[in-house]
Amino acid sequence: MMYNGFLGVCGVLLLGLALAPLPASARQDRDKAACARGATNEERIAACGRVLDRGERESREERSAAYVNRAFAYNNQHEYDLAIRDLDEAITINPRNSHAFNNRAWAFKQKGDYERALRDYGEALRVEPKNNVARVNLADAFRDKGEYDQSIRICEDALQQEPTNAYIFSVRARAYLGKGDRDRAVRDYDEAIRLNPKSDDFRTGRGDIFRERGDNERAVRDYDEAVRVNPKNWYANYARGLSDNDSGQADRALHDLDEALRINPRAAVALNLRGLIYRLQDKLDPAMEDLNEALRINPQFAVALANRGDVWRRKGDVGRALSDLNEALRLDPSITPAYVTRGLVLEKTGDTERARADYQTALSRTAGKFTTLKAALDTAREHLAALGGGTAPPAASAPPSRPAQAVPAPGASPVAAAATIDERGPRVALVIGNGAYANVTALANPPNDARDMASTLRDLGFRVIEGYNLDGAKMRSKIADFGAAMPGAGVTLFYYAGHGMQVAGKNYLVPVDAKLEHPSSLGLEAVEVSTVISDMESEKRINLVFLDACRDNPLSRSLARSMGTTRSASVGQGLAQLNAGIGTLITFATSPDTVALDGTGKNSPFTTALLKHIRTPGLEVRAMLTRVRADVIRATNEQQVPWDHSSLTGEFYFKPNS
């Protein structure tokens, strides 16, 4: 929760019955009022945009304030890069706007850049030493960073200025909780609630401490009161569901989680917990549906990956189970039950040595607080004893402040072994090279790149569907041909060279006849990358995607101009990051959000390196890409760094050792 201090712009909101157009001065006052205090983020963004469109007809102070207020709305929508861009402008116009520094610090903190956040909070206080909003946010940033004593000291300074500010007590409570001092945290929450009994956030904060202590009765009382005060508090419903589940009341927990998700359908933690409860009830399909949605919302949600890995295991899909569990433990090695689940999977595949190692790891780790930890550790001990692995030393107790997590207890029910995704069918590739653009400067290399790739892939055993300088209709026709050739394939590969672009986080490939003069033309004239990848991932197989499509694209700029000042920022450079589905590897010629070079030779730097290494016998694809990356970095003087994301669950060789 941000203790916000946005800078309002003076203006009067005029209400009247007249249907005649408002005078210009009245419209301007209305825009300024909506920019400062609009009912919705969208209303504020649009109104601030109109204020800023008037340029120097507005004073420097009013323009700086409009940037701050629009950035405040962007922060509320989690569009932190857009917020930072506006706040940069606000500070350039008025370097003494402490609110701009405060709100930019907030955006940096949400992005995990604590050093820049701390610098900006410090600058806000240098410019305006009595800005207690920035002081409290600075304390909260130190708490987020784990510097709890510093956070507590700053809270005490803030309380000197505002001794009855309930929010400051809540920030200090969270800092004490970080130190493991639950008693002082509860006392601070008690004082915050006394000062502001109508705060649902303070109730949920104190309820979380009671729940971690195992005092579910008092926790539920606080969550009940939070919901009474604010029926739209999804987190209070979710947390009450956690307490209900801890108390063995699964049906009540599901009711609370249903309500939390009705209020906030994007609450990934609630989807994860509901998925876990369904899994514990052996309702594997609804469990999978919830966990898939949680991971669609947050692909880096390690606990949800661990839970989904257990569902895959119970469904008998060992390859996908291993993929999820490996990624979960890579993201968060502290998920103790995930080691046990992975051990069960490995044991079923016959890899008893690695299974034994996972059981031993689980039993020797700091235990943590996970929903089904005890059952998981019991399973590990039983299986380790059966494998002749002896016993592991007792686990250390968990740090007192660690929150409970919803992770499954892996049962020992038998599951049929399944292999990881291996090459078990023909190789099929779609290769497209677009360079002869009709409405922007042509690109020389993409057709050359594509022809050379098509020839090489044929030599490596691929059936190749290819197209060069394709307009929209022909490009979609080739993609349809590719889709028709996929059923039964063991490997599918998509290679594209030419112009690409990202808009609102989605990636598009550009046919040679595209104009993209209006936002509505995007879906009609360009091809969304995800449609091709979705076809490739429709069956369990190896999928390889190579996109040499991050070149500087004039069409992106013309589209951005047509979208106006408030929406043009959604058109980014290069391509946006894509996360690969299971069995898929995605490679960009350069890092997401950056531009690749077309090259001065026959081929682009990326395709030159790819062609050099793809035929190497016995070179696994991920090792090959490491060599490609090194060659491109060297060839471009470190201007271009290829990027990839892999969810492959086995090894793939373009040319195996003979």
Side-chain angles (χ1 to χ4, degrees), residues 74-249:
Y74 282 139
N75 270 335
N76 284 341
Q77 295 184 160
H78 312 296
E79 297 181 84
Y80 304 120
D81 289 331
L82 295 180
I84 289 167
R85 190 178 306 172
D86 270 1
L87 293 163
D88 289 345
E89 292 291 336
I91 291 165
T92 298
I93 294 169
N94 181 5
R96 297 196 61 77
N97 188 335
S98 67
H99 299 281
F101 285 109
N102 174 64
N103 286 359
R104 190 172 71 175
W106 171 264
F108 281 132
K109 189 181 83 161
Q110 301 313 302
K111 287 170 65 70
D113 192 341
Y114 290 102
E115 294 307 321
R116 294 177 76 177
L118 293 172
R119 283 201 301 270
D120 269 0
Y121 283 135
E123 190 63 18
L125 289 168
R126 186 191 68 78
V127 170
E128 187 182 348
K130 292 186 178 180
N131 186 340
N132 222 30
V133 172
R135 182 171 286 104
V136 177
N137 285 337
L138 176 64
D140 210 27
F142 274 117
R143 180 195 63 80
D144 279 348
K145 197 181 175 191
E147 298 185 26
Y148 304 118
D149 289 331
Q150 180 75 343
S151 175
I152 290 166
R153 281 195 294 271
I154 295 170
C155 284
E156 288 165 354
D157 290 342
L159 285 168
Q160 292 294 316
Q161 287 191 46
E162 297 181 271
T164 60
N165 187 317
Y167 181 73
I168 302 173
F169 282 101
S170 76
V171 172
R172 192 171 68 176
R174 293 196 295 273
Y176 279 129
L177 184 60
K179 289 186 68 175
D181 192 339
R182 291 177 175 171
D183 290 338
R184 296 184 74 173
V186 168
R187 287 202 296 273
D188 268 355
Y189 272 126
D190 289 344
E191 183 63 12
I193 292 167
R194 186 189 69 79
L195 291 166
N196 183 5
K198 294 184 178 180
S199 170
D200 50 314
D201 287 325
F202 303 159
R203 295 279 184 181
T204 56
R206 189 175 67 178
D208 286 345
I209 298 175
F210 290 143
R211 179 171 52 79
E212 289 173 17
R213 283 176 164 174
D215 190 346
N216 285 313
E217 184 178 343
R218 294 176 73 185
V220 168
R221 280 206 300 269
D222 267 346
Y223 298 142
D224 285 344
E225 183 62 17
V227 171
R228 188 192 67 78
V229 170
N230 179 10
K232 294 183 179 180
N233 186 329
W234 73 267
Y235 179 82
N237 281 282
Y238 158 72
R240 189 167 62 185
L242 271 174
S243 287
D244 290 338
N245 190 55
D246 290 345
S247 302
Q249 301 179 72

Side-chain angles (χ1 to χ4, degrees), residues 260-282:
L261 289 165
R262 185 191 65 79
I263 299 166
N264 180 10
R266 292 184 57 81
V269 290
L271 287 161
N272 171 66
L273 179 59
R274 193 170 70 177
L276 168 65
I277 294 172
Y278 284 142
R279 203 285 288 152
L280 293 171
Q281 295 176 341
D282 288 324

Side-chain angles (χ1 to χ4, degrees), residues 623-645:
M624 180 199 76
L625 289 173
T626 300
R627 298 187 187 184
V628 169
R629 185 178 301 112
D631 282 3
V632 173
I633 291 170
R634 187 163 47 247
T636 62
N637 294 317
E638 301 185 359
Q639 294 181 60
Q640 182 175 330
V641 181
W643 173 94
D644 62 80
H645 184 270

